[in-house]
Amino acid sequence: MPERPEVAPLPTLLRLMAALRDPMRGCAWDVAQTFSSVAPYTLEEAYEVVDAVARGDMADMREELGDLLLQVVFHARMAEEAGAFGFDDVARTIADKLIRRHPHVFDASGALLPEGGAGPSSIAVEAQWAAIKAAERRAKGAPEGAGIDPLGGVALALPALTRAEKISQRAASYGFDWPDAAEVIGKVREETDEVAQALGQGDPGAVAEEIGDLLFSVANLARHAGVDPEAALRAGTAKFERRFRAMAARLEEAGRPLPDCDLPAMEAAWNVVKRNERGG
């Protein structure tokens, strides 16, 4: 039996997506989708890529990247059907952006500069990238007579901690920032006191507002410390999960199922688990 000729994977994927969206012969579910209905899946697949990266699971990462690519292809196909743009336009746009934002690597045509190599330092490249992005935002412009939004372009759909970090970074680029992490710690303590005050007043709205201020300050602290707040929170949550399960297992082995335990018993087991983790 002759072997089938090798088919380029990306054109195959684009063809399959077009077939799935065919109103007469495609899949009813795929045909019924819209940008809005697909968007939550796009976000979910992006998180699953991040999860695979965190676990260092290369096989799973390959699969999850494919799922994420499918989301790009899906949106591009719907846009093509609407006469807006197609997948090639998406690829061309990001290629042009990469060339434009790496003037130390490519010339205007996209050819590699003869000097190549490391070029500017990482810090200089980051500053250059930010300046180019700011210029791009200005080039997009605003209605005549309106100013450019200094905090514009930070997606509302980002996780709240990530968006807080990005907004504070944008403000910092204008010089509106604390001088160092120690100053931010003072702000965190101030916000914690204000949370306590709001709790004492028994005002749920004020409590929610002050907790929001506290979380924003913590995101700023993470930025000053060079820590990704989302990654730090994921790691902290994973540590809590690990210790809670170990605590429950320890109590179960002692003949005390978790639902039958009081708080002092759980705290005692929790402290043992913490000491064991720390080798103490």
Side-chain angles (χ1 to χ4, degrees):
M1 182 177 179
E3 293 185 3
R4 288 187 299 175
E6 182 68 24
V7 179
L10 188 52
T12 299
L13 180 58
L14 295 172
R15 176 180 59 80
L16 292 173
M17 190 71 252
L20 288 170
R21 288 280 299 177
D22 187 296
M24 301 301 295
R25 302 170 60 190
C27 169
W29 185 90
D30 290 276
V31 172
Q33 299 313 302
T34 65
F35 294 114
S36 296
S37 68
V38 173
Y41 299 105
T42 308
L43 190 59
E44 180 181 340
E45 297 300 349
Y47 279 124
E48 290 184 359
V49 169
V50 172
D51 180 62
V53 170
R55 290 184 283 106
D57 188 332
M58 299 303 289
D60 199 24
M61 195 190 309
R62 178 183 61 190
E63 181 176 348
E64 297 301 344
L65 285 169
D67 291 344
L68 184 57
L69 176 59
L70 175 61
Q71 298 301 307
V72 177
V73 169
F74 208 145
H75 283 286
R77 178 63 197 176
M78 290 188 291
E80 186 173 351
E81 293 167 0
F85 59 83
F87 182 86
D88 286 350
D89 300 303
V90 173
R92 188 177 301 109
T93 298
I94 187 58
D96 290 345
K97 184 184 290 186
L98 287 173
I99 293 167
R100 188 170 63 249
R101 292 187 179 178
H102 293 83
H104 56 293
V105 179
F106 307 109
D107 66 18
S109 71
L112 193 65
L113 292 174
E115 57 269 25
S121 69
S122 177
I123 293 175
V125 167
E126 198 170 326
Q128 175 181 265
W129 179 280
I132 293 171
K133 283 183 68 175
E136 289 172 355
R137 288 195 299 272
R138 288 194 297 272
K140 287 181 179 178
E144 191 67 31
I148 301 298
D149 181 0
L151 301 178
V154 182
L156 289 169
L158 284 171
L161 275 177
T162 297
R163 191 166 191 275
E165 180 195 24
K166 288 185 177 295
I167 288 289
S168 67
Q169 180 62 60
R170 183 71 64 78
S173 71
Y174 295 98
F176 191 75
D177 197 11
W178 289 277
D180 52 43
E183 293 285 338
V184 189
I185 288 174
K187 184 63 176 175
V188 170
R189 289 176 177 145
E190 176 189 327
E191 296 297 350
T192 302
D193 290 342
E194 291 181 4
V195 170
Q197 183 179 354
L199 284 167
Q201 293 170 346
D203 183 343
V207 170
E209 181 178 348
E210 296 301 342
I211 287 177
D213 292 345
L214 174 59
L215 289 171
F216 188 81
S217 298
V218 170
N220 270 284
L221 178 59
R223 175 174 59 81
H224 270 270
V227 171
D228 178 347
E230 283 290 329
L233 181 56
R234 280 196 299 271
T237 302
K239 180 168 68 175
F240 178 86
E241 290 178 287
R242 182 178 68 248
R243 288 178 175 177
F244 193 88
R245 291 186 180 108
M247 175 195 74
R250 185 175 186 85
L251 290 168
E252 187 74 34
E253 289 170 4
R256 303 187 67 185
L258 192 60
D260 297 339
C261 292
D262 56 15
L263 182 57
M266 287 188 281
E267 286 183 336
W270 176 273
N271 288 330
V272 171
V273 168
K274 284 179 62 176
R275 287 197 300 272
N276 289 345
E277 278 196 3
R278 293 170 178 171

